Amino acid sequence: MTSNKYTVVSYIEGFRTYDHKKILSCLAEDIVWDMPGFFHLIGKEAFDKEIEKNHFIENPEIEIISLTEENDTVVVEGKITCNFRSGDLLNAAFCDVFQMENGKIKKLTSYQMTR
């Protein structure tokens, strides 16, 4: 596994276990996180505030279906299932595009669709 793929898998494992320190260790200081139609965040502090909200009752089940890398871009397709604190169920497919720099996530674009 390449170092870029390893960083991305570690990042996803951080979300599986809700390990903030692990998640943040994978990010560049000036990370950009886009979720088209939902938000556009810039910087590790903004990223941390978003994940701090912890909308879930328990840790999400995340399944990686494919992990592809070319140059400094890693693309992950997967499934996520989790219960929201609101009582709603998240049952979605996702595609995350990670742009890497020096082994860290520089930009993340997250696409999500309800299954």
Side-chain angles (χ1 to χ4, degrees):
M1 181 179 302
T2 67
S3 63
N4 284 341
K5 283 183 176 180
Y6 179 82
T7 298
V8 168
V9 169
S10 182
Y11 166 88
I12 291 171
E13 183 60 29
F15 271 97
R16 278 190 186 123
T17 59
Y18 202 63
D19 183 340
H20 262 216
K21 187 175 181 180
K22 183 178 242 182
I23 295 166
L24 296 176
S25 74
C26 298
L27 308 178
E29 289 299 320
D30 57 348
I31 177 77
V32 174
W33 186 12
D34 284 320
M35 189 170 224
F38 294 97
F39 57 77
H40 173 82
L41 303 173
I42 299 173
K44 199 181 255 190
E45 186 177 325
F47 196 106
D48 189 29
K49 285 180 182 175
E50 180 61 29
I51 63 174
E52 183 66 35
K53 293 176 184 175
N54 190 11
H55 301 287
F56 304 125
I57 293 172
E58 74 278 341
N59 295 341
E61 293 179 28
I62 303 171
E63 177 186 347
I64 295 174
I65 296 169
S66 70
L67 180 67
T68 307
E69 180 178 9
E70 184 170 333
N71 299 322
D72 282 328
T73 301
V74 178
V75 178
V76 178
E77 293 177 282
K79 300 177 194 174
I80 182 168
T81 306
C82 195
N83 291 304
F84 284 104
R85 293 187 186 282
S86 66
D88 293 330
L89 172 69
L90 173 62
N91 185 10
F94 69 88
C95 181
D96 284 346
V97 180
F98 297 86
Q99 293 176 351
M100 309 296 291
E101 184 177 85
N102 300 320
K104 299 284 185 177
I105 300 165
K106 176 81 172 173
K107 182 177 182 191
L108 168 57
T109 305
S110 299
Y111 302 96
Q112 187 172 296
M113 184 172 96
T114 303
R115 295 188 302 149

